[in-house]
Amino acid sequence: MKTPQEYLDSLRKLHLTVYMFGRRIDNVVDEPIIRPSVNAVALTYGMAHSPKFEDIMTAKSHLTGKQINRFTHIHRSVDDLVKKSKMGRLLGALTGCCFQRCVGMDALNALSIVTHDIDAKCGTGYYKRFLKYLAYVQENDLVCDGAMTDPKGDRSLPPHRQEDPDMYLRIVEEREDGIVVRGAKVHQTGAVNSHEVIVMPTLSMREEDRDYAVSFAVPSDAEGITYIMGRQSCDTRKQEKGLLDRGNIRFGGHEALIVFDDVFVPWERVFMLREHAFTGPLVESFASYHRQSYACKVGVGDVLIGAVQTIAEYNGVDKASHVKDKLVEMNHLNETLYCGCIACAAEGHQKPSGTYYVDPLLANVHKQNVTRFPYEIARLAQDIAGGLMVTLPSEEDLQSPAVGKWVEKCFKGRGDVPTEHRMRILRLIENLTLGTAAVGYLTESMHGAGSPQAQRIMISRLVDMKEKQNHAKRLCGITEETPRE
Amino acid sequence: MKTPQEYLDSLRKLHLTVYMFGRRIDNVVDEPIIRPSVNAVALTYGMAHSPKFEDIMTAKSHLTGKQINRFTHIHRSVDDLVKKSKMGRLLGALTGCCFQRCVGMDALNALSIVTHDIDAKCGTGYYKRFLKYLAYVQENDLVCDGAMTDPKGDRSLPPHRQEDPDMYLRIVEEREDGIVVRGAKVHQTGAVNSHEVIVMPTLSMREEDRDYAVSFAVPSDAEGITYIMGRQSCDTRKQEKGLLDRGNIRFGGHEALIVFDDVFVPWERVFMLREHAFTGPLVESFASYHRQSYACKVGVGDVLIGAVQTIAEYNGVDKASHVKDKLVEMNHLNETLYCGCIACAAEGHQKPSGTYYVDPLLANVHKQNVTRFPYEIARLAQDIAGGLMVTLPSEEDLQSPAVGKWVEKCFKGRGDVPTEHRMRILRLIENLTLGTAAVGYLTESMHGAGSPQAQRIMISRLVDMKEKQNHAKRLCGITEETPRE
Amino acid sequence: MKTPQEYLDSLRKLHLTVYMFGRRIDNVVDEPIIRPSVNAVALTYGMAHSPKFEDIMTAKSHLTGKQINRFTHIHRSVDDLVKKSKMGRLLGALTGCCFQRCVGMDALNALSIVTHDIDAKCGTGYYKRFLKYLAYVQENDLVCDGAMTDPKGDRSLPPHRQEDPDMYLRIVEEREDGIVVRGAKVHQTGAVNSHEVIVMPTLSMREEDRDYAVSFAVPSDAEGITYIMGRQSCDTRKQEKGLLDRGNIRFGGHEALIVFDDVFVPWERVFMLREHAFTGPLVESFASYHRQSYACKVGVGDVLIGAVQTIAEYNGVDKASHVKDKLVEMNHLNETLYCGCIACAAEGHQKPSGTYYVDPLLANVHKQNVTRFPYEIARLAQDIAGGLMVTLPSEEDLQSPAVGKWVEKCFKGRGDVPTEHRMRILRLIENLTLGTAAVGYLTESMHGAGSPQAQRIMISRLVDMKEKQNHAKRLCGITEETPRE
Amino acid sequence: MKTPQEYLDSLRKLHLTVYMFGRRIDNVVDEPIIRPSVNAVALTYGMAHSPKFEDIMTAKSHLTGKQINRFTHIHRSVDDLVKKSKMGRLLGALTGCCFQRCVGMDALNALSIVTHDIDAKCGTGYYKRFLKYLAYVQENDLVCDGAMTDPKGDRSLPPHRQEDPDMYLRIVEEREDGIVVRGAKVHQTGAVNSHEVIVMPTLSMREEDRDYAVSFAVPSDAEGITYIMGRQSCDTRKQEKGLLDRGNIRFGGHEALIVFDDVFVPWERVFMLREHAFTGPLVESFASYHRQSYACKVGVGDVLIGAVQTIAEYNGVDKASHVKDKLVEMNHLNETLYCGCIACAAEGHQKPSGTYYVDPLLANVHKQNVTRFPYEIARLAQDIAGGLMVTLPSEEDLQSPAVGKWVEKCFKGRGDVPTEHRMRILRLIENLTLGTAAVGYLTESMHGAGSPQAQRIMISRLVDMKEKQNHAKRLCGITEETPRE
């Protein structure tokens, strides 16, 4: 397993083509807006070396028997699934942001199921290829970006009927040594701090869309790949001199557009080639795993709740009954989320490949709650934090010889708490509810791993309505009672 | 394990003193208002003989190794805890009401932990006594009422300072062969269909209240015990000739006041005698188990959702997008509840006695959701059911030679559905949202196993706020970052 | 204006054909299940004679200049509309139930607009007829049932395509002296305590449905009319000897099916005859007025809040911060409802006939909230009331020589409060949240004046989305900024 | 009435001492971060000259009979109160932000009531002084900042017991020609674009705090006043070259700390001097008026709803039933807010000074809803907007020769909509839900005019609980029924 330093070194060695604000970025590791997202991933390496957390952060490879980072592991038991949820909460709490490494883990696990299933049905040899690739990822302890969402263009049309054929990523050439692909993946969380990009189709496809039914892995700096960074609320505060106004002084996330401008993929890295019937299962498997992954928001919720308890104390209002009650509500909602990610893991089961799969109904139910509760937790956080969170002057004002004394004097809370500490904790709450981390804690909670309506459709499909109707009809005498007693 | 018939026979043999509407009831089994609650318990016997469900409904006694009804089992693993949740959902769905037998199971499990702990601390011999009693219960497959809630009188005063000393059940005499107790237990769900009553104190007590710190078991027809039945919304419909207007034509619940007018308890049935320091742990253990038990409401929710899907079909509106969406929401809420009862079981752990205990934080979180979601599910049910649910004439009108034809004609829905079926399913929804079953699905969900505020207090105590604050303070730079990466 | 006694006398003189539980009712005034609904209407007469409330309860007829009961008045100003909302809240608070007389007032006002509009378009003479009828109603101070909802049969088909042509009320014969109609009206709140029935079509119709496009008034005991009473939760408690278990000891509502089996209507009472283009406007006008009428639920909410404050005091928990906070929430929701019925009145405007009409968007918004907030208020009420509300023995147990002493002793709350008072207030809360009044406070709030989806469709139609989009597009630079500064 | 240009000119003439990012600002009009807030106020001048809106935007001065900007008007009728609410919604919709001028209007109206009341009780002459000042404000069409909130220090201590006596603004010297004051006002919305600052105490005070019981007006550039600007989420985007990433390309708000470092106030501008008994009434009057002022958020809601409808169309999903339903919900919530600000105005009444005052209970109820609904509207907005809102590259990327083509291609939605338009509307939604305008639409909705708990306390005080209890007790027979029928 790599150390954080080895991870940073490995990133520096990549030749990524990255643009931000219309300009090319030479070195993502040292770019101030990107660096916090590198720090977050680095922590996933560091924690794996912590004896206290090794049970959660690492696993034994079923390929090699070696201890590996859990992010590269294929779940082999219900216990693995439960630990995945716990790892998500832990890292969410330690980083206070989206730590970005789960998506690759989810892609690997989904592929471990579906490549096996394709082979069983079509007599192909994807699973073996996949295991070889997996061994490489485990051996080198790599960060994989799981890339699913295409630009999609006109959403009422399937891929092959789009005016611009590149609206979904597709095979444009088949060569002796591999394939050439073209297209793009949008909303890529944690793209430029990854070593690998694992591409999957974004929806269930039919025969006519077979050129779009493709899955593969490429190194993140493969020729033809360009990254364009997305903006986040308050992103440029990371470029400012001081740290205080950032709120979270070390960690953050990023999102990018990845353009594939005729990228070559050798055969040994191709995991699906036009088997369109398996696009649906791959999307669904990945989505279920990834919906479970929103366990991380419970950890970010822990940070926000901790920050709110702290500002309540700094403001001297932590004993007020309405403040205590709102904190109970925040905890209640946060732990209800935790129940969801634990339950879908605890109710997991084994697939033919041997991989353990979460209960898909409960994973969807969990994610649906994630699209709601963080917003309410954030609203309650703003309630207790007070208006100062959005009227606070800058760190430069606090440091200013001219007006620093006024800032110091007027924004003093409880006597024993430095004004600077009060400002720091308020900036953290701002960060989580309006700033860069709100992008992850709120909007990503809404749309990541599928927008709310996607989960509702799945819930509708996965519940057994007939059985429920049978219960009801029997109890009111429409159908005859089975003589059970 | 008894059969349902053997259970009915055993009830007939009891000499219970029961009052309802100011009159003494001779025979609870044949009293029409009480019978449905007997039927519900009978089903817990019947289902244990079903090969399909034996894994859920039965367990292997850790005392004798024999197969026993799970309701008399002490949880010996996380798997036992999970199956308890599943048994609750199953029986809730099969009966559409509170089936009343969980409270005794929760009392037995709580006593298995606390009698062991008292012995360890005080050198007493309760655990052995308890195991002997447990063997008797398992051997005879008995229904136990777990009796906790006292009248309480003035809630601002402890037991020993009440004007009327009987406001909490207490020891009034200590004899050579046992003790004599006096007092009452209120809100007893499933009292007069039980063989045994297991009494526990209702709150954490101090030295001065030691005479109230008592736990024991008595046969339900012990001398000095009187039952007074509580009324339920629509209770007298069960006395009417027809079945249709009942909604649920076979099952129901009941609540009773149990008066202990100087009841003798022999020593071998006394499990706590003035060890006041253990009243708190006993209350908390029982409460956590019993909060988990609200798994049953998920099953009742299944019935209500099934009924609503059915009436939507009968009304011909099941394809309307808003109807489908409301059904998704009902399912989503119901499955979120399921996540709670599964998670608190899956996160269970072993206590010194060997008994497995649920995660108390998550059990409280689960129950807190139970105080909310069934109300919203019921509201949505009434939305889709339509106003007819409360304007429908009686079954007698439907059968009437004079006006039956009008009822038949005017309340016809979709062409292929008999008016009577539409009436039946509407009556079931009325039963669950306003009638006798609403008492269990709604009000009992609110107050059973502790009112909402009780759970909020426990949530407040059980979360680790300091840890959350540490995360927050480290991330914004108030405390130094642990060098983790 | 009639006195309550004169109203009762006038009811006794009617020859109504009423069925309940399959049996014909001779005299609705003295039937115990129906009487409370007669009492509620009687109060609308009594209050009109109260000097303190005459400003709210009465108005000056624009036809005769005489003082009349406001329930027979046509709104002539914004102030009239506002007073209508206040009258609703007042009577809701005084009766604690649906007082049933608003629907006729709403029918009269809607007809005053639409008959005028039909005449203007079609050169008919309905408005004059209507005014003559109105003068008769005002002069005799009559209760009118406004009858709109038809059985509807298969909801996917228009009236003329129903298998059974009577699924919507229709003209079956046109005679020299009038018309003959056949069909039925369902969900009729306050039918058998009315003097008149005013029939309106239930939906917007097209040319092919012209025989169904009919509006008229008939005496409630016209030949061919049969009433079949609907059941309500806990209805038969009104037949029991004691009053306590009823909760609300005097007032209640009722619902009935009205069958029109070839009923003759003379021309002077016909207000629409096949002018199908005006069915939509009539439905919409009536619906908007009637949605405003749900002001009454604010008054019923006042009763429930008052009851909950009282039980909190009786239980000795009224100072607990969570109890106080829940009561604030109940009041907040209740007053938010009040804002809705005041705002739609305050934003009213005059129609060509001179009648004042509520703002239809805000009336729909108000009613939509009525489909939600009473359910949450009721849930909070059950929270504070405690479980005793559903486990309380009957009044007969309290009076019983055998067990009355136990009931008295065990259900005693605060020392100075008689157990009987505690039982009474709990039974009132039960009545409002599960019993007969829950039918009005909850289910009728959901479906009366149109189910929730009906309001959502109207909200969708009535908001000016284009204007909102113009604001947005201008602000972000998609369209050019109008040079306004 | 001034034109917008005259307003800008008048601002340039002020000698304000303003700091931002630790640096002094020479000219607020041309400072890019401040300018949008100047534009918003300028619009309040421009709209007053619009013939179409003069009825809403202007009024007739009751002092001079001249047409004046409504923002300087004293409400003389219910109609004035209603128009104030409509003006708020209108300007909220036109600016998409907090337009900052209502606070001065609310201060003037509150002082018109309380100065009159002080005189009546204490024989002082404040009202006459106030009217003279009012005439000056009206004549010169000035913007007044209403300054209430003090730093407060330790919230558990009253002003005179604070360690630092300047934690509340106070009189430090009384001179022949006036008084000298010291202290600060925090959270000042729209401070540096005002001509005047009207200071009021922030809470109800007792005798010992009399030096803090002071109200007065000073020119915004009075000697001794220093402004320190607060930061807002995404504030520095206004300093960037392009306009697109701002979302709202023209308007915004600002918040500032105002330090009073021994500022002199001449007697004719002092409106309260140690009459501590009237601090409570002044705070309450101002708060009620200002809670009504949150009518503006309905207008901002209109913008957000319009933006969401637009992005739904651009994404081609505006016909999806769940999208339509969410838009109905957003409108429903927004119009429910509108009902609140209309109802508290419509239920207004006259005070002894002749000023019309809103219904304080309903104003508090309205504001309480404002602390909730905008958060839910914003959540739904993010739901429909899609994840792109937070992953979109910068305007510079769109313009970049290197990657602009990819941005253009990949973020294309519906065929006929330019990518740039899609980006603009998404940036507006970002601005309103996470960016600078979220500060006003969300956090200010929470805390402006008092935090949620302040309204709950007022609701608790203002409802008549005894009357509600009387209704309940009478209905269940605890108290005797008044013979009303």
Side-chain angles (χ1 to χ4, degrees), chain A residues 213-240:
Chain A
V214 62
S215 178
F216 58 85
V218 282
S220 56
D221 59 353
E223 207 186 321
I225 290 184
T226 303
Y227 299 86
I228 306 171
M229 305 297 293
R231 291 208 74 165
Q232 296 191 327
S233 173
C234 300
D235 44 12
T236 54
R237 286 205 195 170
K238 295 175 188 167
Q239 294 177 321
E240 298 177 8

Side-chain angles (χ1 to χ4, degrees), chain B residues 232-243:
Chain B
Q232 296 192 327
S233 173
C234 299
D235 44 11
T236 55
R237 286 204 196 172
K238 294 175 187 167
Q239 296 177 322
E240 296 177 8
K241 206 178 54 181
L243 290 177

Side-chain angles (χ1 to χ4, degrees), chain C residues 351-416:
Chain C
K351 300 294 273 186
S353 66
T355 304
Y356 268 72
Y357 185 52
V358 291
D359 181 283
L361 172 58
L362 300 188
N364 276 282
V365 165
H366 168 56
K367 175 67 214 311
Q368 181 78 181
N369 284 324
V370 172
T371 69
R372 302 175 176 181
F373 295 173
Y375 284 84
E376 178 64 1
I377 293 171
R379 192 184 75 85
L380 291 168
Q382 292 200 355
D383 182 342
I384 302 179
L388 189 51
M389 188 190 98
V390 295
T391 66
L392 208 55
S394 67
E395 181 180 8
E396 285 172 296
D397 291 307
L398 177 68
Q399 310 298 353
S400 153
V403 295
K405 63 182 172 186
W406 297 119
V407 174
E408 184 74 38
K409 177 188 176 86
C410 295
F411 297 121
K412 183 88 183 147
R414 214 179 60 197
D416 60 336

Side-chain angles (χ1 to χ4, degrees), chain A residues 22 164 166 187 230-231 233-234 236 240 245 371 375 379 382-383 390-392 397 409 434 443 446-447, chain D residues 22 164 166-167 187 230-231 233-234 236 240 245 371 375 379 382-383 390-392 397 409 434 443 447:
Chain A
D164 178 346
D166 303 339
H187 312 321
R231 291 208 74 165
S233 173
C234 300
T236 54
E240 298 177 8
D245 288 356
T371 69
Y375 284 84
R379 191 185 74 84
Q382 292 200 356
D383 183 342
V390 295
T391 65
L392 207 55
D397 291 307
K409 176 189 178 84
L434 290 173
T443 324
M446 181 66 82
H447 293 289
Chain D
D164 177 346
D166 304 338
M167 282 296 98
H187 311 323
R231 291 208 74 163
S233 173
C234 299
T236 54
E240 296 177 8
D245 288 356
T371 68
Y375 284 84
R379 192 184 75 84
Q382 291 198 356
D383 182 343
V390 295
T391 66
L392 208 55
D397 291 306
K409 176 188 177 85
L434 290 174
T443 325
H447 294 290

Side-chain angles (χ1 to χ4, degrees), chain B residues 22 164 166-167 187 230-231 233-234 236 240 245 371 375 379 382-383 390-392 397 409 434 443 447, chain C residues 22 164 166-167 187 230-231 233 236 240 245 371 375 379 382-383 390-392 397 409 434 443 446-447:
Chain B
D164 177 346
D166 304 338
M167 283 297 97
H187 312 321
R231 292 208 73 166
S233 173
C234 299
T236 55
E240 296 177 8
D245 289 356
T371 69
Y375 284 84
R379 193 185 74 85
Q382 292 200 356
D383 182 343
V390 295
T391 66
L392 208 55
D397 291 307
K409 176 188 177 84
L434 290 173
T443 325
H447 294 289
Chain C
D164 177 346
D166 304 338
M167 283 296 98
H187 311 322
R231 291 208 75 165
S233 173
T236 54
E240 297 176 6
D245 288 357
T371 69
Y375 284 84
R379 192 184 75 85
Q382 292 200 355
D383 182 342
V390 295
T391 66
L392 208 55
D397 291 307
K409 177 188 176 86
L434 289 173
T443 326
M446 181 65 83
H447 294 289

Side-chain angles (χ1 to χ4, degrees), chain C residues 83-93 99 293 295-296 299:
Chain C
K83 280 186 181 136
K84 179 195 156 186
S85 288
K86 293 186 176 189
M87 178 172 70
R89 180 174 191 169
L90 173 66
L91 289 171
F99 47 83
S293 284
C296 63

Side-chain angles (χ1 to χ4, degrees), chain C residues 258-402:
Chain C
I258 313 183
V259 179
F260 291 78
D261 191 16
D262 289 358
V263 174
F264 172 71
V265 188
W267 288 122
E268 66 268 23
R269 282 170 159 268
V270 176
F271 308 130
M272 174 187 281
L273 188 78
R274 302 201 174 86
E275 291 84 3
H276 63 86
F278 290 87
T279 50
L282 182 53
V283 169
E284 192 174 320
S285 299
F286 172 75
S288 292
Y289 278 128
H290 203 39
R291 284 162 196 179
Q292 175 202 12
S293 284
Y294 278 75
C296 63
K297 301 309 179 200
V298 185
V300 181
D302 287 331
V303 173
L304 184 51
I305 292 167
V308 169
Q309 173 70 27
T310 303
I311 189 63
E313 294 175 5
Y314 287 2
N315 289 347
V317 298
D318 54 307
K319 303 294 182 223
S321 65
H322 78 95
V323 170
K324 286 193 291 180
D325 194 64
K326 283 165 190 163
L327 279 157
V328 167
E329 185 63 18
M330 293 168 80
N331 273 306
H332 170 65
L333 294 173
N334 205 42
E335 299 297 336
T336 299
L337 292 183
Y338 187 57
C339 288
C341 63
I342 289 296
C344 72
E347 292 277 279
H349 61 279
Q350 199 175 23
K351 300 294 273 186
S353 66
T355 304
Y356 268 72
Y357 185 52
V358 291
D359 181 283
L361 172 58
L362 300 188
N364 276 282
V365 165
H366 168 56
K367 175 67 214 311
Q368 181 78 181
N369 284 324
V370 172
T371 69
R372 302 175 176 181
F373 295 173
Y375 284 84
E376 178 64 1
I377 293 171
R379 192 184 75 85
L380 291 168
Q382 292 200 355
D383 182 342
I384 302 179
L388 189 51
M389 188 190 98
V390 295
T391 66
L392 208 55
S394 67
E395 181 180 8
E396 285 172 296
D397 291 307
L398 177 68
Q399 310 298 353
S400 153

